[in-house]
Amino acid sequence: MAESFRYIENWRGIVGEDGLPNLLVIDVRPFQDYCKSHIVGAVNLCLPSTLLKRSTFTLDRCIATLTSEEKALFTKYLQRDMDNLPTLIFYDSCTESSDTASLSISNLSSKFVNTQTWKAPLYVMQGGFKEFELLHPAHVETGSHASMPKVMVAPCRETPSSDQPPKIQISSLTHFRLPDTSNTPFFKSRHHEELLTTRPDSTLHLNTSITTPDTNILPSWLFNVIGSDLGASVLSSKFNCLQVQERERLNQALTRHCQATPSPETPYFSAGVELGRKNRYKDIFPYEHSRVKIQKYDAEDNELDQEESYINASYLHYPGSENQYIATQGPLEETIGDFWKVAYDHKIPLILSLTAQRENEVEKCAPYWEPGTYSSNGVFINVEILEQVDNFKLTEESSCECCARWIRLKIGDRPTHDVLQIQILSWPDYGALISSKDLISLAFLKRHILEESGTCDVPTIVHCSAGCGRTGCFSAIDVVIDLMLSNVEQDDEKDLAYDVISEFRSQRVSMVQNLRQYILIYDTILMFRKSQASSEYNGNNNNWIEDKYDIFNHFIEEKKSENKGN
């Protein structure tokens, strides 16, 4: 590590004619870790592994997803001659050798190796940021502003000429290692590109602090995942098992004849594959046995055909829990009417939207909540917003951006139907950047609204963009909390979270899309179990919400009146 520091120190003093250093240090850790502290002048490049693993996601496409400052930096570097491009040094949290290089480093470095536009030496810092910070604290900074690399010149060292780079043997810098491709699946989708390699990523682990007294209140299945590395090995292995099971299920579903009786044991795809224009993503479609079908308007009408009844949505339920869900994609502009028709037909009381309308200038969900009239198979649904709160918080200290809307639906001369939408605006696609406290509070808010309005027996619509990753993550957490609160005796040895996700995946593809989301589920359950065992726990995590935001009480009172009228 000492030699790697001298190497960085010397090279940072060498700049090109464009004023940029001839060495670029790249931090591949999550952005929140980078903001806490990073090597002076390092640039943060942390992209979803699901994107980096795609062979079609080239270096140019990586650069295109960066912020304007970072994009400008690489654009300026690429204006240089090929022979004058900067040497790259990658670092993560704690890589010790090429054999233990994290997937983030392996996947990102491969983009530079496999392009014709960037030919320069690449290295990985041995020991990662943790060791660097211990040995050289004066060369660590905080904040998110260091997008342009700084020239770091040693104060008492002669700066080498640009023609003679320092000849230092870099024993503590190890070359990158390309990712293990032995698990390349037959079925290719955005979901299966998250299949793990045979070595776990030690940087992905549980973050909930667990003390010795805490372990006494944990069920055996939850205690057993922690281990000596905060769950990194066990959870990686469990998630990999889920991925292998899913791959086998999907391969069978794609080859099974569609005239077979659809069931969780014999799933197949039918309408979803044929009606691709109604799907937001080309590789996410519902199993036939669990797909939601749009209902006809009148009993005397002809039955809707496969195209007319199709919506990319699935019923979700876990045996033993009373919770019911309709998991669906973020509606497309042309399927908003179908979305509202399903909500009206099922008398849905609550919609949990776990995505913003747009993310990085890409639409993730059409704004179906906007007032107007939408059509589904010639049936016109009028949408009206009765009340809206734009900046409500799930917890007092929450930084999560949320919005709540009380929406009224009207079809012809039929009775109106009211639905409450809660939208999470700051949980990114593929991501786990939401606090466990917020997820617990959201689960309790959902529970409170359904219980108080007398609608526990009706499904809740949950969607993100594809209706898989964030949707599966929240729904799994919600079910496990529900089972922990119930009086139903559970098998103390059975991994409840794993079993719920496995069951959900038999009902909709790709539920919980990546390892970060999978770990977030266990982190959240650990936090809930700790709070449940505390002396301050009163069985309700969202009492304060009732007093602070009138929209929830107004909606509940309206639902109670509606139920009395029926």
Side-chain angles (χ1 to χ4, degrees), residues 387-389 392 404 406 420 544-557:
E387 193 172 343
Q388 179 167 329
V389 177
F392 95 86
W406 177 3
L420 185 69
W544 65 271
I545 292 177
E546 301 172 46
D547 302 326
K548 191 167 184 178
Y549 300 109
D550 291 335
I551 186 173
F552 301 118
N553 285 331
H554 293 167
F555 177 79
I556 288 170
E557 290 304 315

Side-chain angles (χ1 to χ4, degrees), residues 92-157:
D92 57 9
S93 294
C94 54
T95 286
E96 289 296 334
S97 68
S98 60
D99 291 332
T100 60
S102 68
L103 295 177
S104 297
I105 284 181
S106 298
N107 292 330
L108 183 58
S109 61
S110 69
K111 301 302 176 184
F112 288 88
V113 172
N114 295 328
T115 182
Q116 297 300 315
T117 59
W118 195 288
K119 298 299 179 185
L122 286 78
Y123 298 95
V124 175
M125 182 181 294
Q126 185 177 12
F129 180 75
K130 288 183 179 179
E131 187 172 338
F132 185 95
E133 186 178 32
L134 288 174
L135 296 176
H136 310 290
H139 295 279
V140 170
E141 63 181 356
T142 61
S144 61
H145 61 280
S147 57
M148 294 295 285
K150 302 172 183 176
V151 179
M152 186 168 69
V153 182
C156 300
R157 188 183 303 275

Side-chain angles (χ1 to χ4, degrees), residues 317-386:
H317 175 68
Y318 180 77
S321 171
E322 295 184 358
N323 290 5
Q324 300 178 61
Y325 310 90
I326 290 178
T328 184
Q329 67 180 18
L332 299 164
E333 192 70 35
E334 58 268 33
T335 64
I336 292 177
D338 295 338
F339 177 89
W340 282 126
K341 183 65 164 53
V342 167
Y344 187 92
D345 288 342
H346 288 77
K347 302 303 177 189
I348 299 295
L350 182 63
I351 298 172
L352 300 181
S353 305
L354 306 179
T355 183
Q357 178 185 345
R358 302 184 70 83
E359 189 178 313
N360 295 325
E361 302 305 316
V362 176
E363 184 186 82
K364 297 294 181 177
C365 174
Y368 62 85
W369 51 85
E370 291 185 351
T373 301
Y374 303 94
S375 174
S376 174
N377 297 316
V379 177
F380 294 96
I381 305 106
N382 182 261
V383 175
E384 177 187 2
I385 295 180
L386 301 184

Side-chain angles (χ1 to χ4, degrees), residues 362-479:
V362 176
E363 184 186 82
K364 297 294 181 177
C365 174
Y368 62 85
W369 51 85
E370 291 185 351
T373 301
Y374 303 94
S375 174
S376 174
N377 297 316
V379 177
F380 294 96
I381 305 106
N382 182 261
V383 175
E384 177 187 2
I385 295 180
L386 301 184
E387 193 172 343
Q388 179 167 329
V389 177
D390 286 325
N391 296 303
F392 95 86
K393 292 182 176 294
L394 288 166
T395 62
E396 291 286 6
E397 66 276 12
S398 174
S399 59
C400 184
E401 299 176 43
C402 302
C403 176
R405 301 180 183 94
W406 177 3
I407 297 172
R408 176 161 290 171
L409 306 179
K410 175 70 173 173
I411 298 180
D413 57 358
R414 296 190 172 188
T416 60
H417 174 68
D418 291 358
V419 59
L420 185 69
Q421 181 211 20
I422 298 174
Q423 185 176 20
I424 308 298
L425 300 168
S426 54
W427 187 357
D429 198 6
Y430 296 104
L433 298 180
I434 185 171
S435 76
S436 292
K437 286 185 179 180
D438 285 336
L439 289 171
I440 293 170
S441 183
L442 181 60
F444 272 86
L445 176 56
K446 167 186 171 288
R447 188 181 185 91
H448 170 75
I449 291 168
L450 298 186
E451 287 181 348
E452 292 299 314
S453 63
T455 55
C456 291
D457 58 342
V458 183
T460 296
I461 287 181
V462 186
H463 78 82
C464 44
S465 186
C468 303
R470 289 164 287 182
T471 296
C473 189
F474 171 77
S475 300
I477 290 168
D478 191 39
V479 165

Side-chain angles (χ1 to χ4, degrees), residues 4 24 61 65 79 96 174 177 204 215 261 278 285 338 411 429 466 488 527 535 549:
S4 67
L24 184 60
R61 294 185 66 184
T65 65
Q79 292 173 355
E96 289 296 334
T174 58
R177 179 180 178 182
L204 299 178
T215 60
T261 302
K278 288 191 172 185
F285 20 74
D338 295 338
I411 298 180
D429 198 6
V488 179
M527 181 174 289
S535 58
Y549 300 109

